[in-house]
Amino acid sequence: MTDNLRPLSISLIAEKKQVSRFSEIQWRINELTLGEQGPHVLFLQLFMTERAAYRFNLTAATPRLFVRAGFTGQEPKPSAITASQDVAAGWMDGEQQVLEVAMPMAIQIWIESYLARHGEAPMEIRKKKRKGAGRAKETPTQEKPQ
């Protein structure tokens, strides 16, 4: 097994939520376990390009894992899992439903080990903009003779 791939199993549960006079079904992750023994097996893969996002997630009060579960409004069909909030945000922008769950300590340690082996993502250095830089410049318009 490679050092950047881990199988995780999840099970889902539907909960009926009452919102004023309406009720709706809301899905959540019931259980997440390490290995390939659950009803939905997904492979958490770590990418070098997401190291800063992993570090950000690990420094949160409760690190999370995010599961892409099909289109919003449909019964969830888990198809991918990530530890990157940036990737999860991209899924949501594509109108995918994203379920989240607390990251198990074993996965936190595995990601820390990955970051230790491959190094932290380089800090983004932003150059100070010159006054007016990056703004569209007005060009003088030529008036047409009437």
Side-chain angles (χ1 to χ4, degrees), residues 19-30:
V19 180
S20 59
R21 297 184 322 216
F22 303 99
S23 66
E24 67 178 15
I25 300 295
Q26 189 173 34
W27 290 88
R28 68 175 180 84
I29 297 172
N30 185 46

Side-chain angles (χ1 to χ4, degrees), residues 88-110:
W91 292 340
M92 288 190 289
D93 288 345
E95 298 188 14
Q96 297 280 317
Q97 61 182 316
V98 175
L99 307 175
E100 60 180 76
V101 64
M103 186 186 297
M105 185 56 71
I107 296 298
Q108 291 179 44
I109 293 168
W110 174 61

Side-chain angles (χ1 to χ4, degrees), residues 11-70:
S11 62
L12 304 177
I13 189 167
E15 295 177 333
K16 197 172 195 176
K17 296 282 184 178
Q18 193 72 28
V19 180
S20 59
R21 297 184 322 216
F22 303 99
S23 66
E24 67 178 15
I25 300 295
Q26 189 173 34
W27 290 88
R28 68 175 180 84
I29 297 172
N30 185 46
E31 186 177 23
L32 179 135
T33 55
L34 304 175
E36 301 180 47
Q37 66 279 357
H40 302 281
V41 176
L42 302 171
F43 288 85
L44 176 59
Q45 185 170 8
L46 302 180
F47 296 94
M48 295 286 285
T49 56
E50 295 297 322
R51 290 174 296 166
Y54 302 147
R55 173 58 60 212
F56 180 79
N57 192 353
L58 289 173
T59 59
T62 307
R64 317 291 289 167
L65 291 174
F66 308 93
V67 175
R68 182 178 63 201

